[in-house]
């Protein structure tokens, strides 16, 4: 199963957030390293396994905080969720460190990411807005 994962980095502090790191975690971590960043945040746009299956591995490798909207937080760490993540090729997810709400600001170094609550695909679906970019998760599908 393919999924978009985004690295949103602050060039000044060389810190970054990973948005929806589900699969190919080794490849993601190599890309982070090659760009010279340190992962401080893992942000899930919603709680489906195809967007969260890499949380455990990325968190273990980086010590980053895991963030998700409060209405999808109950999905993370549950047996059924982690089982589905493993079936899809991931490792499951620990419980979140930070529960997000609409209009929250996530500080990644000097960069500011704004949380936009966009329920529909899931109750806690979010988009992430930053200068001239919006990361939509499954709020907006390709095509």
């Amino acid at each position: 199963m393919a999924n978009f994962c985004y690295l949103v980095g602050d060039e000044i502090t060389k810190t970054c957030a990973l948005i929806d790191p589900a699969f190919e975690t080794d490849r993601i971590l190599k890309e982070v390293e090659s760009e010279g960043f340190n992962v401080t945040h893992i942000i899930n746009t919603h709680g489906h396994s195809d967007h969260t299956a890499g949380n455990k591995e990325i968190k273990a490798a980086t010590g980053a905080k895991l963030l998700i909207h409060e209405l999808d937080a109950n999905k993370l760490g549950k047996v059924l969720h982690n089982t589905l993540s493993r079936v899809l090729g991931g490792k499951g997810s620990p419980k979140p460190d930070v529960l997000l709400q609409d209009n929250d600001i996530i500080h990644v170094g000097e960069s500011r990411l704004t949380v936009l609550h966009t329920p529909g695909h899931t109750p806690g679906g979010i988009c992430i807005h930053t200068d001239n970019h919006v990361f939509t998760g499954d709020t907006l599908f390709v095509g």
Side-chain angles (χ1 to χ4, degrees):
M1 180 169 291
N3 163 68
F4 291 109
C5 172
Y6 297 95
L7 182 157
V8 181
D10 178 62
E11 291 289 341
I12 296 168
T13 62
K14 298 306 272 186
T15 56
C16 72
L18 292 177
I19 300 174
D20 292 340
F23 306 106
E24 299 186 75
T25 53
D26 289 340
R27 180 178 170 197
I28 293 167
L29 290 170
K30 284 179 186 171
E31 184 68 25
V32 169
E33 183 180 349
S34 75
E35 294 294 326
F37 284 99
N38 292 311
V39 180
T40 56
H41 297 78
I42 302 163
I43 305 170
N44 294 146
T45 58
H46 64 288
H48 287 162
S49 296
D50 61 325
H51 289 255
T52 65
N55 287 350
K56 184 175 183 178
E57 198 167 336
I58 298 289
K59 187 169 177 57
T62 66
K65 291 183 180 178
L66 176 57
L67 297 79
I68 192 169
H69 191 276
E70 63 184 356
L71 294 178
D72 272 15
N74 64 344
K75 292 175 176 62
L76 300 186
K78 288 194 169 183
V79 172
L80 180 58
H81 177 273
N82 284 346
T83 300
L84 183 56
S85 293
R86 286 186 182 92
V87 167
L88 294 173
K91 304 287 187 202
S93 179
K95 297 210 180 273
D97 298 302
V98 178
L99 300 180
L100 299 169
Q101 296 180 350
D102 191 42
N103 291 315
D104 279 352
I105 303 295
I106 303 165
H107 295 274
V108 179
E110 302 292 321
S111 300
R112 294 167 44 101
L113 311 177
T114 303
V115 175
L116 306 172
H117 184 213
T118 54
H121 183 65
T122 67
I126 61 170
C127 293
I128 303 295
H129 179 261
T130 189
D131 298 330
N132 300 314
H133 299 285
V134 177
F135 302 93
T136 63
D138 282 353
T139 298
L140 178 64
F141 284 106
V142 173

